[in-house]
Amino acid sequence: MIETDVIVVGSGPAGSSAAKHAALGGAKVILMDKKSEIGSPKRCAEGVSIQGLEKLGIKPSPRWITQKIEGVRIQTPDGTDIWLTEDQVKLPEAGYILERKVFDKHMAMDAARAGAEIKIKTLVTGVEKIDNGYIVETESMGKKIDYKCKILIAADGPEGHVARWAGLKPAAKAKEMESGVQYEMCNVEFEKPGVIEFYLGSCAPGGYVWIFPKGDDIANVGLAVLPHMAEKTALEYLDDFVAKCPYLKNAQAVELNVGGDPVGGMTKKLYDDNILVCGDAAGQVNPLTGGGIISGMTGGMCAGKVAAQAIKEDCSKKYLKLYDEMAHEELDHEIKRYKKVQEYLLTLSDEKLDALGHAFEGESFDKISTTEIVKKLIKVDKTAFLKLGKFI
């Protein structure tokens, strides 16, 4: 039996953030992941905001940045384009497209440098609640090893088992779990370099199609759909889009990524005695964009800080409720607002999206952000104003 203060299951950005901050707080931490290579395979379009990185105290590195975001293009079903680019108005920097396979390793290394011990190729096969913590059962390289911890942090993704095994409900209902699929492609053509592209409507029911440039002629091309709104599989929708998109006529896929994305908001219970849940496993995802890197790392940071202090004070749910309060204080404003926007957009037909696209033509933007786009939407659509007016 190997004993430690904190075990973090899952070494994605949220888990590494939790491990880092728990270790910085003085806790003895083990970060474990079932994969043999942290960051692979990726399950993400890889976009992050500069503001989000700054808030987390992460300095951009050319080692894991593939492209600076130069603008945004949104296309409605009839081909109407809404551009947010510097040739319209001088826009501040928006963000970056990452190389997640490098970024995730970088974040795990940050946790290791803070003092966390990393266990790769370590599959958690079960957890058992005991009086003063958890027994975590694992299998690694054909060996079964048990660990004992005072606090268990579940950061094992949207389909993770740890929180469920511990009796906490999963973050997303089946109808609120998007099905995502993505190709990384070369020979992609861009109308404007460095511009991230979004395609709306029936090409991706309940979600959208994205093209995120990664420098030169490389891009992530993917989509997410809500299965109960779709008539085909996510892959079939993506293949149809690729076949019709003029910018992809010579493109070739070099990688395929698939995965679920919980867009139903944060789970109602993020904690219990001796356990915390963060990242995708806790539904810490923007319901509108499906993005969860920054929000998941924010949740992980809160979990790590509270866990480190709890080791010194009290590991019961009475004390760990502090994490729930911190996470909601940090993330509720964004998640709840964008959930309302998502619900509104799900009611729009292709024809309505086209009409909104026409109304957007000629609009100027002060910055590149989801909030800025939603504010313009409220301005041009009376229905949106009635439903989302409080968003502002």
Side-chain angles (χ1 to χ4, degrees):
M1 181 78 68
I2 298 173
E3 295 190 23
T4 190
D5 292 332
V6 177
I7 288 178
V8 182
V9 181
S11 64
S16 290
S17 179
K20 171 185 174 180
H21 287 281
L24 287 174
K28 186 178 178 182
V29 182
I30 294 177
L31 171 63
M32 53 181 61
D33 198 286
K34 64 183 179 182
K35 300 186 292 293
S36 57
E37 180 184 6
I38 291 173
S40 180
K42 69 185 181 192
R43 297 171 69 183
C44 174
E46 303 184 290
V48 295
S49 69
I50 289 177
Q51 183 181 9
L53 291 176
E54 289 177 344
K55 190 173 182 181
L56 289 164
I58 298 171
K59 294 181 179 179
S61 168
R63 291 183 62 245
W64 41 261
I65 291 173
T66 64
Q67 176 72 57
K68 174 187 171 184
I69 297 174
E70 303 285 355
V72 177
R73 173 196 202 177
I74 301 172
Q75 188 173 104
T76 61
D78 68 354
T80 299
D81 284 326
I82 302 162
W83 293 94
L84 288 77
T85 56
E86 289 190 351
D87 55 9
Q88 290 180 307
V89 60
K90 186 64 177 177
L91 297 169
E93 291 185 345
Y96 304 107
I97 306 301
L98 308 178
E99 184 58 73
R100 279 288 302 272
K101 294 174 185 176
V102 181
F103 178 78
D104 285 19
K105 285 193 187 79
H106 179 88
M107 292 299 106
M109 290 175 185
D110 262 4
R113 293 184 182 110
E117 182 180 355
I118 298 177
K119 299 286 186 181
I120 55 174
K121 198 66 175 175
T122 300
L123 175 67
V124 175
T125 57
V127 300
E128 178 188 349
K129 183 71 179 71
I130 57 177
D131 287 343
N132 57 346
Y134 272 90
I135 300 295
V136 179
E137 301 165 358
T138 74
E139 184 176 313
S140 178
M141 307 293 186
K143 297 180 180 179
K144 294 183 178 181
I145 305 172
D146 290 349
Y147 295 81
K148 180 180 177 182
C149 64
K150 297 175 183 176
I151 294 181
L152 177 60
I153 299 180
D156 51 341
E159 297 101 358
H161 301 293
V162 172
R164 188 176 292 108
W165 286 338
L168 280 72
K169 294 181 180 179
K173 299 176 183 177
K175 68 176 184 179
E176 294 178 325
M177 179 72 78
E178 287 185 337
S179 177
V181 60
Q182 173 180 266
Y183 291 125
E184 183 170 329
M185 309 187 85
C186 65
N187 293 338
V188 178
E189 299 173 16
F190 303 105
E191 190 163 333
K192 296 183 180 181
V195 173
I196 59 175
E197 303 182 10
F198 300 92
Y199 297 80
L200 309 180
S202 55
C203 58
Y208 58 87
V209 179
W210 62 82
I211 299 179
F212 280 17
K214 297 185 69 174
D216 299 325
D217 63 347
I218 303 168
N220 288 327
V221 181
L223 58 76
V225 300
L226 286 172
H228 71 279
M229 297 182 66
E231 297 178 353
K232 301 176 289 187
T233 67
L235 182 59
E236 288 172 326
Y237 278 106
L238 180 58
D239 285 339
D240 287 348
F241 176 84
V242 169
K244 296 174 184 177
C245 180
Y247 305 104
L248 303 175
K249 62 180 182 293
N250 298 314
Q252 296 287 327
V254 297
E255 185 174 330
L256 172 66
N257 313 119
V258 298
D261 197 6
V263 292
M266 269 195 286
T267 182
K268 291 182 179 179
K269 196 166 186 182
L270 303 175
Y271 69 100
D272 205 337
D273 289 329
N274 308 95
I275 187 169
L276 304 172
V277 190
C278 65
D280 283 6
Q284 291 169 343
V285 173
N286 183 316
L288 178 61
T289 67
I293 297 176
I294 298 300
S295 52
M297 291 185 74
T298 300
M301 177 178 67
C302 295
K305 288 182 175 180
V306 171
Q309 192 60 34
I311 294 298
K312 304 170 187 176
E313 304 277 347
D314 176 12
C315 298
S316 72
K317 60 185 177 183
K318 182 178 179 180
Y319 188 90
L320 294 180
K321 183 180 180 181
L322 177 60
Y323 163 62
D324 184 84
E325 294 169 353
M326 288 177 63
H328 281 285
E329 183 177 352
E330 289 286 342
L331 299 171
D332 264 0
H333 180 65
E334 176 177 292
I335 290 177
K336 289 184 176 180
R337 288 198 311 164
Y338 288 125
K339 180 62 179 171
K340 291 183 181 297
V341 179
Q342 180 221 30
E343 291 170 349
Y344 164 71
L345 290 177
L346 290 178
T347 67
L348 302 183
S349 65
D350 281 4
E351 291 74 21
K352 180 61 175 178
L353 288 168
D354 291 335
L356 288 174
H358 301 157
F360 263 89
E361 290 182 302
E363 288 286 329
S364 61
F365 295 84
D366 297 325
K367 59 183 178 179
I368 301 173
S369 74
T370 307
T371 297
E372 181 76 3
I373 295 170
V374 174
K375 286 181 178 179
K376 293 292 182 182
L377 172 65
I378 293 170
K379 176 182 175 182
V380 302
D381 182 43
K382 292 181 180 179
T383 304
F385 177 78
L386 292 173
K387 293 185 177 181
L388 306 173
K390 292 183 180 179
F391 182 92
I392 299 175

